[in-house]
DNA sequence: CAAAAAAGCCAAAGCGCTTTGGAAGACTCT
DNA sequence: AGAGTCTTCCAAAGCGCTTTGGCTTTTTTG
């Protein structure tokens, strides 16, 4: 059932039917109802291929997926996707993942824009002066950055959480509890979120005349194993920290294991706060010692990004507004006063 | 730069240029070179929208993503995606995720097929007599099932692992070690993989004249918390099992925590074997007691599914061949002889 | 009431590609 | 040399939609 047939059986022109269906004003309301009705009754759905050839609109949002034999997709992605998908569904948007060589995403971005394969894209895990952001901005396709980049001579639209504030508050709490030597087990410090978190910790320390020791901050891929290793290294030193801030729950698993392996305890010997992106399958309150966290649902962020993309596609949102979400500090049993 | 312009500047017809580019035989090799050359020089890329309108081919593979406020995307998905994406990239395939109401995926499948939005689809986490499989089969679009369904009057193509064999071997090992009361903490038993795993355990027990106690098997969503709860429940009973087989590493985290909370030890009081899908961020050898596992890389499965989909799209693979991969049993410290 | 404006509809021209059905020329064969 | 066969290319017809420009008919206006 295509437009031609539908028009024919309604004894109308394709033009009128098309306009009736797409809500154009120059068609009689009575006629429109007739058309809508017949369309529904016959299950008519405009062929998207034809439509996109004619309009250039695809009804799809794009994401360039860095891949490679040694490239691991961030497990956070799936939660983000849950939120994004949930919103996208209600707006009949599909998501197209374009796999790209992790070291050459530019080609892929250019392709999907040149080919008009998607109406908008989003970018995640940005770094300062991220080339993808500059590129996509210059290509002129609507986009939203999940997270923040920095150091451009233009503004852009992003949705981020207050990583600095979250870790500043976490550190402040630890300091108030008497801790003087804090450590930060961070994610990849080439990414903005990690930079912001480190800054948060430093600012809190500075406010009390303290500093973050050179060797008390580490930047690693966020795996359980790396959390373990970092913790062992930290705690086996002379000036071992008495409190640790950790950038992910997964790493925190390793932290807890390391602390135990060393015969130490949380929070007796070491206080621990981790960032919680809210996974359904791993909850901080279920750690052997309930984990204090800075909490922000990455899933909600996914839904929000989808919402903004949809708004941009339909022209409802314009400009380069960035939004920063506050982060909850949730105190549980894993923090206590510094040991004597 | 479109076909028309390219043809014009080569003083050839669109037909010839199109054929030269697409490798049709009825064009002089000399001409073909000229065309290819000019195309490359001018960076000509055929407009995919136009091409798909004409051919119906999209260069995309589809996946219907169940979503909803209370629907969590399986964390395994991201690993599967890593493999799929890695292969797809090298073949210029994109993946389109079509979010659907988890309770009504049929509509979405029909849509993407009717609209010719993708060249092929894959289905994951199938159940016996899975309606999606029947539907997609009847719709006549190329597809691969990751996992297995059962009970159809037709054959279909799938890539699965030997879940039954894996859990049979795991159970057999435990039995050989003297365990008589095994328990199985399984995933959702409406899914085929869980059924097969349970069958594997039962078969191994039966071979030694043993059975799996009614209350020694549980089927839950695979979260850390559920692993914990199930273990507590199992171990606090009178005829507590001395060995546990567990369907995921994430649940195993909870199992370990529960055992510890009860003042018991692994493998002294309880032996544990879990299935490992090979996550980069959580490795069984790094558990406090290195975890014995049945291991199969879900990432490789993703790559294989992509490969088969590509083969089907290009007509290289036909028929309904199913393939079942063997699973490694990797013995580490978490198993030992049954306590006296 | 005639002229101007608005409403409602349509035919046809794209969008950029593939593919069908020839046609022209070169080549082979008797 | 004439008929038949390849080879190589082309014009034009789709694919199914949107949109431009124009044509009637109805309504409004001075």
């Amino acid at each position: 059932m295509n437009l031609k047939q539908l028009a024919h059986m309604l004894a109308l022109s394709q033009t009128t039917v098309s306009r009736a269906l797409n809500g154009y004003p120059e068609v009689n309301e009575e006629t429109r109802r007739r058309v809508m009705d017949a369309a529904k009754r016959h299950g008519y759905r405009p062929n998207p291929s034809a439509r996109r050839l004619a309009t250039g609109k695809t009804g799809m949002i794009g994401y360039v997926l860095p891949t490679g034999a040694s490239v691991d997709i961030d497990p956070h992605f799936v939660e983000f996707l849950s939120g994004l998908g949930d919103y996208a569904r209600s707006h009949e948007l599909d998501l197209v993942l374009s796999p790209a060589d992790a070291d050459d995403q530019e080609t892929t971005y250019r392709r999907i824009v040149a080919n008009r394969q998607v109406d908008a894209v989003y970018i995640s895990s940005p770094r300062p002066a991220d080339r993808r952001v500059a590129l996509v901005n210059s290509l002129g396709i609507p986009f939203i950055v999940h997270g923040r980049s920095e150091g451009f001579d233009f503004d852009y639209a992003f949705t981020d959480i207050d990583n600095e504030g979250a870790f500043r508050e976490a550190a402040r709490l630890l300091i108030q509890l008497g801790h003087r030597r804090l450590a930060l087990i961070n994610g990849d410090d080439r990414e903005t979120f990690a930079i912001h978190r480190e800054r948060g910790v430093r600012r809190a320390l500075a406010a009390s005349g303290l500093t973050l020791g050179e060797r008390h901050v580490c930047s690693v891929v966020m795996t359980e194993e790396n959390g373990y290793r970092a913790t062992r290294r930290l705690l086996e030193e002379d000036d071992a920290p008495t409190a640790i801030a950790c950038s992910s729950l997964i790493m925190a698993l390793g932290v807890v294991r390391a602390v135990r392996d060393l015969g130490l305890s949380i929070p007796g010997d070491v206080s621990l706060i981790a960032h919680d992106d809210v996974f359904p399958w791993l909850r901080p309150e279920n750690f052997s010692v309930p984990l204090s966290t800075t909490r922000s649902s990455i899933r909600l962020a996914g839904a929000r990004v989808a919402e903004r993309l949809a708004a941009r596609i339909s022209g409802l949102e314009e400009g380069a507004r960035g939004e920063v979400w506050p982060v909850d500090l949730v105190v549980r049993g894993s923090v206590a006063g510094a040991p004597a």
Side-chain angles (χ1 to χ4, degrees), chain A:
Chain A
M1 168 65 53
N2 58 21
L3 185 62
K4 193 168 175 180
Q5 294 166 26
L6 185 64
H8 183 256
M9 81 183 348
L10 279 165
L12 284 172
S13 76
Q14 295 189 37
T15 311
T16 304
V17 176
S18 171
R19 287 185 158 149
L21 259 24
N22 294 325
Y24 281 68
E26 56 267 84
V27 44
N28 193 322
E29 276 311 318
E30 158 66 19
T31 313
R32 187 191 306 277
R33 267 196 308 101
R34 257 181 65 221
V35 171
M36 297 279 238
D37 205 59
K40 177 156 295 172
R41 229 179 24 256
H42 294 84
Y44 167 77
R45 304 272 292 172
N47 177 320
S49 298
R51 169 176 278 182
R52 48 191 288 188
L53 179 58
T55 64
K57 291 289 179 193
T58 65
M60 299 182 147
I61 64 191
Y63 179 66
V64 172
L65 188 77
T67 57
S70 61
V71 178
D72 302 320
I73 299 178
D74 192 319
H76 300 296
F77 179 66
V78 78
E79 269 306 296
F80 185 83
L81 197 58
S82 291
L84 188 111
D86 196 21
Y87 183 90
R89 169 171 58 85
S90 59
H91 288 248
E92 301 232 332
L93 281 172
D94 286 343
L95 174 67
V96 24
L97 302 182
S98 300
D101 183 331
D103 297 324
D104 176 27
Q105 301 180 41
E106 179 163 338
T107 306
T108 303
Y109 276 108
R110 289 190 183 283
R111 187 197 77 197
I112 65 180
V113 171
N115 290 348
R116 301 237 141 72
Q117 297 199 131
V118 295
D119 295 337
V121 300
Y122 82 89
I123 289 176
S124 69
S125 305
R127 304 176 174 195
D130 198 297
R131 298 180 56 190
R132 297 171 298 168
V133 176
L135 174 64
V136 160
N137 184 258
S138 73
L139 290 175
I141 188 174
F143 72 101
I144 298 280
V145 175
H146 175 223
R148 248 177 292 180
S149 190
E150 284 171 344
F152 295 121
D153 53 359
F154 58 87
D155 288 328
Y156 61 93
F158 64 85
T159 292
D160 193 11
I161 61 173
D162 183 10
N163 283 300
E164 178 178 336
F167 275 61
R168 180 166 25 76
E169 291 310 307
R172 206 160 68 88
L173 171 64
L174 293 169
I175 294 164
Q176 280 179 341
L177 286 167
H179 294 275
R180 290 297 170 262
R181 293 190 306 280
L182 304 197
L184 171 62
I185 302 179
N186 212 348
D188 186 339
D189 63 4
R190 290 167 303 183
E191 295 188 20
T192 313
F193 85 91
I195 294 169
H196 285 188
R197 288 179 186 179
E198 179 172 336
R199 192 159 70 208
V201 172
R202 289 192 187 280
R203 291 250 162 103
L205 286 166
S208 300
L210 300 169
T211 58
L212 184 61
E214 175 100 20
R215 314 173 57 189
H216 282 176
V217 48
C218 52
S219 155
V220 294
V221 175
M222 299 194 286
T223 67
E224 193 270 354
E225 179 165 338
N226 285 336
Y228 179 85
R229 288 195 178 156
T231 306
R232 292 282 310 218
R233 192 175 59 67
L234 286 169
L235 297 183
E236 282 170 347
E237 285 186 9
D238 288 341
D239 58 342
T242 61
I244 295 177
C246 172
S247 263
S248 96
L249 272 197
I250 292 172
M251 283 201 296
L253 286 170
V255 174
V256 169
R257 180 166 62 95
V259 169
R260 181 162 19 225
D261 274 9
L262 291 168
L264 301 174
S265 80
I266 296 174
D269 301 297
V270 185
S271 285
L272 176 60
I273 299 184
H275 184 74
D276 176 20
D277 290 291
V278 191
F279 297 118
W281 41 271
L282 182 62
R283 306 172 59 185
E285 55 267 46
N286 290 333
F287 273 54
S288 50
V289 175
L291 204 58
S292 298
T293 58
T294 53
R295 180 182 59 195
S296 179
S297 165
I298 201 168
R299 186 168 181 154
L300 287 180
R304 177 62 182 150
V305 166
E307 182 181 13
R308 294 189 68 184
L309 287 172
R312 287 190 164 252
I313 289 171
S314 54
L316 296 176
E317 177 181 311
E318 286 183 359
R321 197 165 55 79
E323 54 188 21
V324 177
W325 288 2
V327 176
D328 300 327
L329 176 60
V330 184
V331 180
R332 301 193 185 85
S334 68
V335 296

